[in-house]
Amino acid sequence: MIKERNKIEIVYKGGGNLISLAPIFSKDGSTLYVAKPYNIISYNVETGNKILEFPRTKSEIIGFNVNVLNDEEHVIACTKNGSIILWKTTTGLKLREIKTNVKKVVYFKTLTTFDDDNNEIINAFICFENESTKKYNFKLTNLDTNESKIIKFNLKIKKKVHIDVANDGSFIAAVQDSKLFYYQININVLRRHFIKDRTFTFVLCHPTENVVLTGDNTGRVVLWQNLLEKNPTQSNYHWHTLPAKTACFSSSGTQFYSGASECVLVKWIVNSNHQSFLPRLPGFIEHISIALNNQFIAVSTSDNAIHIVTPQLKIKNTIQHLVISDELASDLVFDPRSRSLIFNGISGHVQFFSPKNLELIHSMDVSGKNKYTNERDTLIVNLVITNVVLDKTGRWMATVEERKDPVVFESRLKFWFFDETQQNFILNTSIEFPHEGCVKNVAFQPSNDEKELYCVTIGEDLKFKLWEVIPIKTVYREGLIWECAGEMSYRNLTPNVSSFSSDGSLLAIGFESIVTTWLPESCELKCSLRHPIHQNDLCHVSFGADHRQCHLLLTASKNFVCVWNLLTLSMVWSVKIDVHGVISDINCSYKAVFTPDNKLFVFDLNSPDPVYFMEKLKNVSDVAAATFVPKSSVTSDINRWDHRLSIFILTSNFELFAIESSDEDLTVNNLQIKEDHSFFKNILPEIRNVFLKDQGQIHAYSKDLRGKKLQQLLDTPVPSLQLSFVCEDILVDSLVQEDPSLPNRRNPDNIAVEEKRVIDENVNKLIIKNESLTKICDEKMTWTSVLV
């Protein structure tokens, strides 16, 4: 069955927050359920592999649990708009949805109670905001009968509140500022308790007893007992120096685990001073969950990872897709070698994420330094990878790391070379303080020769510097290193952006509202261009890609997108657009412009009319970074941009989306077909999944008498054309052929005349083609000399 669609769509590719809610184990502890904002995913605990992804919900998921209904395990979730949804864990099928008629749900948990006949009843406990009374209200819903009742306990909507309810529904505990609220539901009694000079950070109910565990901003974890009394019993467990974030009891309640921003998991034994530690986790601890059999602990960390830990505090495996970085400082970069996306990872790292397999390929340590954690009264600044760029071949990578500490400032420019043996980037050159101040922009010269290459950097010192790769031979090493080839400034103006031409012969630098062009080899200024109307600083410059557009230069500022002709030194066209960001690719002639209100324009430099426009990027909250990604196979219409490229978008929430046409996913009987539309592919027979009526045997056949394949040869790009290899095949393919086993049914003289006419006609076309090649080469030499 052939399925073909041509519509351009926004496709969710991965990422998103895996740690917004605490993960939950299945009853037997073999499966872990993880909640994303709009869906739930199940993973195998032993391997960490994904098992099933449940359908997306219309509203954000506030909470979920795993319960057994009718002897089958179900996932029960509640959305922010008050809908309770039940799924079967084995199939992911949605069984039913219950409307609770409440809005702005802030807390959800399922409770297990028993009726008079000792039958198990599953209830949904919901806390929601009541806008009319400006209070938090509580509601209990029976999932079998859908009957609901309001719980009288109310809290004022002031500051952030943390809530938990006992598993059997006997009491509710809540903390707000320095107050602890304890409400015994069955006897309708409320108690308030206070702490001095501290603020609560979480609250947790004991699994079997009327005991509450709280954390505070000084790092204490306090166990509260006898809460109905005026002065309850308190047991302090104090190891954390930073505010305690979360905790979790074991199934029996004799042990608990706590976590904070020190990146250390602490194991406690109740009524004992004994402690155990799992240090050096890659991120702050956000949530902790324990299986009912106490065999595994799931620890959610701030880098968007969930670590499966044994009771002996050993990490068994890690569930992680896309790393959430503290700061998305670098752009989204496409690696042509591994076909992965590169951007910020955990502190001091960059991550390589596969958009095809939707998995994290590799996390590369760029800084080579441990992450510093904050102290109680001191904010410690870590290194941030601010720039990541690759050269045209993907063999060289340049990174900039900076630590913007008000006391000590650090800045390093590093060049990395990909080692085929180790299958990793190896540090080649490290340059301390490449500029006085921060580095604002880095770009490689397009070149296929890794030994003759330039790189440009722009700094806050009002200079741009050119770096070149040179051979070196010393007693310590022999190979290639990078060194500064020159530095320039322009009229004491601030440079912001840079770009090389497609052949690397020109360098464009944007100084405030002026764009300048330079010769990389000599740092010689060739021209400076500025339109009197356009006063804003430039935020993007890039050249046209192919031989038709390499003399065109696109510039973008806050309110305008313009194209300049470098041959005539004049502006070709200008469009008024509110620009949020611009992306370009050295291998394609298209530019994409994003606006602050999430509009998308795709331009070809020859015309101010966009080749594609999208009024609204649906489901995309914002565009933090974006890039073009070439498709692995070109579809039938190579003139359409979306058949050659996809646009990948990364939001500030680290969700990855792709804007692409769906005809890349053509399938025939579930077999993936990779289309190849080169001229040489068309000589081969095609396999088509169609049913033809019986037309009888046709023994005599003709080949391309109208010259369709020859026309494709004439349309082939000049750099990929080698006439000596294809002339003979084209001429033979143009002849009329017959099956030699059959008698000749036509006049031999007519056949000879027809063959001679076809040969003469095609030879003339090849001569014209050869003349056009010479003309194109002459024209290229002419305009190149004008620039020089």
Side-chain angles (χ1 to χ4, degrees):
M1 178 180 181
I2 296 180
K3 184 178 182 181
E4 182 173 358
R5 297 170 296 172
N6 293 318
K7 185 180 179 181
I8 298 177
E9 299 175 333
I10 300 178
V11 183
Y12 173 75
K13 288 292 185 178
N17 197 342
L18 290 177
I19 59 170
S20 58
L21 299 173
I24 296 178
F25 287 92
S26 61
K27 298 303 179 183
D28 60 1
S30 63
T31 305
L32 185 70
Y33 297 93
V34 177
K36 297 175 73 173
Y38 292 93
N39 65 333
I40 294 174
I41 308 173
S42 61
Y43 294 89
N44 184 284
V45 172
E46 290 288 341
T47 63
N49 296 331
K50 183 171 72 173
I51 301 174
L52 190 64
E53 185 166 352
F54 293 7
R56 287 175 64 89
T57 60
K58 295 180 180 179
S59 181
E60 181 181 354
I61 296 174
I62 295 299
F64 76 105
N65 282 106
V66 178
N67 294 92
V68 177
L69 299 173
N70 301 323
D71 298 327
E72 284 191 89
E73 202 168 67
H74 293 74
V75 171
I76 305 172
C78 181
T79 61
K80 191 173 184 178
N81 62 4
S83 296
I84 300 175
I85 305 173
L86 286 77
W87 294 281
K88 289 187 67 173
T89 58
T90 54
T91 62
L93 293 177
K94 177 180 173 181
L95 294 182
R96 58 192 174 106
E97 182 173 351
I98 302 172
K99 301 291 185 179
T100 60
N101 298 321
V102 298
K103 303 295 181 182
K104 294 187 178 182
V105 177
V106 297
Y107 177 81
F108 169 82
K109 186 176 181 179
T110 56
L111 311 176
T112 303
T113 59
F114 297 90
D115 59 13
D116 297 336
D117 298 329
N118 204 30
N119 295 320
E120 189 175 84
I121 301 173
I122 305 299
N123 298 278
F125 177 86
I126 295 176
C127 174
F128 61 96
E129 295 182 10
N130 191 326
E131 294 183 350
S132 60
T133 62
K134 302 298 180 182
K135 291 183 178 181
Y136 291 109
N137 292 159
F138 298 86
K139 189 174 186 179
L140 199 65
T141 302
N142 188 315
L143 296 183
D144 291 329
T145 62
N146 294 349
E147 295 179 354
S148 300
K149 66 177 182 178
I150 298 295
I151 299 175
K152 297 181 180 179
F153 175 44
N154 295 323
L155 283 174
K156 291 183 179 180
I157 300 177
K158 297 190 301 182
K159 296 183 180 179
K160 186 174 182 180
V161 63
H162 301 272
I163 302 167
D164 196 21
V165 61
N167 292 336
D168 59 357
S170 59
F171 67 92
I172 303 171
V175 292
Q176 197 172 43
D177 291 336
S178 300
K179 298 178 183 179
L180 168 61
F181 301 90
Y182 176 83
Y183 179 71
Q184 192 81 35
I185 297 177
N186 53 353
I187 59 176
N188 192 23
V189 175
L190 174 65
R191 292 287 184 267
R192 295 180 179 89
H193 304 286
F194 302 87
I195 57 174
K196 293 182 179 180
D197 303 324
R198 290 183 172 92
T199 302
F200 287 111
T201 54
F202 71 82
V203 63
L204 179 68
C205 295
H206 194 278
T208 58
E209 302 175 8
N210 290 358
V211 175
V212 170
L213 196 69
T214 62
D216 62 41
N217 61 327
T218 63
R220 293 192 316 163
V221 179
V222 181
L223 189 72
W224 301 72
Q225 297 173 306
N226 304 319
L227 283 162
L228 287 176
E229 299 179 3
K230 184 177 181 180
N231 296 312
T233 304
Q234 300 181 38
S235 301
N236 294 334
Y237 300 85
H238 198 173
W239 180 89
H240 301 287
T241 184
L242 299 175
K245 281 195 170 185
T246 185
C248 185
F249 279 108
S250 61
S251 58
S252 62
T254 58
Q255 300 174 352
F256 69 88
Y257 297 79
S258 65
S261 298
E262 301 91 357
C263 306
V264 178
L265 177 67
V266 185
K267 178 181 180 180
W268 306 84
I269 298 178
V270 177
N271 299 324
S272 172
N273 290 325
H274 179 73
Q275 306 158 11
S276 302
F277 306 96
L278 174 59
R280 293 183 292 277
L281 290 169
F284 307 146
I285 296 177
E286 301 289 344
H287 302 287
I288 305 172
S289 301
I290 301 178
L292 288 178
N293 56 14
N294 297 321
Q295 293 299 310
F296 295 106
I297 304 100
V299 182
S300 303
T301 52
S302 58
D303 61 329
N304 205 32
I306 299 173
H307 308 276
I308 307 299
V309 180
T310 64
Q312 294 76 32
L313 299 183
K314 303 292 183 182
I315 296 180
K316 183 176 181 62
N317 55 58
T318 298
I319 298 171
Q320 186 164 40
H321 294 269
L322 192 149
V323 177
I324 291 183
S325 174
D326 297 334
E327 183 178 358
L328 184 59
S330 67
D331 290 330
L332 195 62
V333 180
F334 175 69
D335 180 10
R337 179 190 48 81
S338 62
R339 294 194 62 81
S340 61
L341 298 174
I342 308 176
F343 49 98
N344 289 101
I346 60 176
S347 179
H349 291 64
V350 294
Q351 58 181 313
F352 292 71
F353 185 82
S354 171
K356 180 179 180 181
N357 301 324
L358 303 181
E359 61 183 16
L360 182 66
I361 299 177
H362 175 54
S363 181
M364 177 180 166
D365 187 359
V366 173
S367 66
K369 295 186 177 182
N370 291 331
K371 179 180 180 179
Y372 304 122
T373 57
N374 296 325
E375 297 180 359
R376 182 174 296 177
D377 300 320
T378 305
L379 180 64
I380 298 178
V381 180
N382 282 279
L383 280 166
V384 177
I385 311 302
T386 59
N387 290 273
V388 178
V389 292
L390 292 174
D391 76 327
K392 183 179 179 180
T393 63
R395 300 297 298 275
W396 283 105
M397 180 173 70
T399 61
V400 177
E401 58 189 62
E402 295 176 346
R403 189 159 77 96
K404 300 177 183 179
D405 191 285
V407 179
V408 179
F409 175 75
E410 295 182 42
S411 177
R412 293 178 192 87
L413 170 64
K414 292 181 178 179
F415 291 96
W416 309 75
F417 187 75
F418 186 78
D419 188 286
E420 296 287 352
T421 304
Q422 301 186 33
Q423 286 294 298
N424 198 0
F425 283 96
I426 307 300
L427 181 62
N428 176 272
T429 306
S430 180
I431 302 161
E432 297 283 337
F433 297 102
H435 289 268
E436 296 179 9
C438 297
V439 178
K440 302 166 68 175
N441 187 260
V442 184
F444 272 110
Q445 179 190 43
S447 175
N448 293 321
D449 189 352
E450 61 193 31
K451 297 181 180 180
E452 294 185 4
L453 192 61
Y454 283 95
C455 180
V456 63
T457 59
I458 292 177
E460 290 183 340
D461 53 2
L462 308 185
K463 297 177 181 178
F464 72 88
K465 291 186 178 182
L466 278 166
W467 309 84
E468 66 175 340
V469 59
I470 62 171
I472 186 176
K473 185 176 182 181
T474 66
V475 293
Y476 301 104
R477 60 178 294 191
E478 179 179 356
L480 302 172
I481 64 169
W482 287 81
E483 71 171 13
C484 185
E487 60 180 65
M488 294 295 294
S489 61
Y490 180 75
R491 295 170 52 182
N492 206 33
L493 297 177
T494 303
N496 293 308
V497 287
S498 64
S499 176
F500 281 95
S501 61
S502 59
D503 61 355
S505 61
L506 276 181
L507 170 64
I509 305 289
F511 288 89
E512 297 181 6
S513 60
I514 301 174
V515 60
T516 60
T517 59
W518 307 73
L519 293 180
E521 295 82 3
S522 60
C523 290
E524 177 186 350
L525 177 65
K526 298 302 295 180
C527 70
S528 60
L529 303 171
R530 178 180 179 273
H531 198 280
I533 298 179
H534 303 156
Q535 303 290 335
N536 293 326
D537 290 356
L538 299 178
C539 62
H540 178 86
V541 296
S542 60
F543 285 85
D546 55 27
H547 67 276
R548 297 179 298 107
Q549 299 184 356
C550 54
H551 62 291
L552 299 178
L553 179 66
L554 180 136
T555 64
S557 61
K558 182 180 179 180
N559 303 113
F560 285 94
V561 175
C562 311
V563 170
W564 296 84
N565 187 326
L566 295 182
L567 296 179
T568 61
L569 301 182
S570 61
M571 184 175 288
V572 180
W573 56 263
S574 175
V575 177
K576 183 175 176 58
I577 298 177
D578 292 332
V579 177
H580 174 65
V582 183
I583 60 172
S584 63
D585 190 277
I586 198 64
N587 298 313
C588 72
S589 58
Y590 298 102
K591 316 291 180 181
V593 180
F594 296 94
T595 65
D597 54 351
N598 271 12
K599 294 179 182 178
L600 169 65
F601 298 84
V602 179
F603 288 99
D604 184 284
L605 297 191
N606 291 320
S607 172
D609 298 325
V611 297
Y612 179 74
F613 169 69
M614 183 175 287
E615 178 67 28
K616 183 71 174 178
L617 301 178
K618 295 181 180 179
N619 301 323
V620 179
S621 58
D622 62 333
V623 179
T627 188
F628 281 117
V629 174
K631 291 191 176 182
S632 55
S633 59
V634 180
T635 52
S636 56
D637 189 356
I638 61 174
N639 293 322
R640 283 185 53 175
W641 72 273
D642 56 292
H643 286 197
R644 301 169 56 188
L645 302 163
S646 297
I647 298 177
F648 276 77
I649 297 172
L650 189 65
T651 69
S652 58
N653 297 325
F654 279 77
E655 290 182 312
L656 190 65
F657 294 87
I659 301 175
E660 59 187 5
S661 58
S662 54
D663 55 356
E664 187 183 24
D665 299 324
L666 293 177
T667 55
V668 177
N669 293 332
N670 298 324
L671 282 176
Q672 189 73 23
I673 295 180
K674 294 184 177 180
E675 293 282 354
D676 178 10
H677 292 275
S678 65
F679 165 77
F680 303 100
K681 179 264 179 186
N682 290 328
I683 300 177
L684 302 175
E686 296 184 359
I687 300 176
R688 299 183 179 273
N689 189 28
V690 294
F691 296 95
L692 300 176
K693 295 181 180 180
D694 186 11
Q695 299 177 354
Q697 293 183 347
I698 304 176
H699 299 286
Y701 61 95
S702 61
K703 282 196 173 182
D704 200 19
L705 287 178
R706 296 184 179 181
K708 294 180 180 179
K709 292 184 178 179
L710 181 60
Q711 184 61 43
Q712 292 182 4
L713 171 66
L714 298 178
D715 294 337
T716 303
V718 174
S720 62
L721 183 62
Q722 298 187 37
L723 293 177
S724 59
F725 292 127
V726 298
C727 286
E728 183 178 354
D729 292 338
I730 289 296
L731 295 178
V732 172
D733 192 65
S734 299
L735 299 179
V736 177
Q737 300 182 12
E738 291 198 27
D739 191 331
S741 63
L742 296 176
N744 192 350
R745 300 180 180 178
R746 293 191 295 171
N747 190 329
D749 295 335
N750 293 337
I751 295 177
V753 171
E754 179 68 14
E755 291 178 348
K756 185 176 183 303
R757 185 190 65 79
V758 172
I759 292 176
D760 292 341
E761 179 182 344
N762 290 308
V763 167
N764 291 333
K765 290 185 177 181
L766 291 176
I767 292 173
I768 295 173
K769 178 71 173 181
N770 188 44
E771 292 176 352
S772 65
L773 293 178
T774 305
K775 183 178 180 181
I776 290 173
C777 293
D778 291 341
E779 290 178 353
K780 184 176 181 181
M781 293 179 64
T782 300
W783 77 260
T784 304
S785 62
V786 171
L787 290 178
V788 176

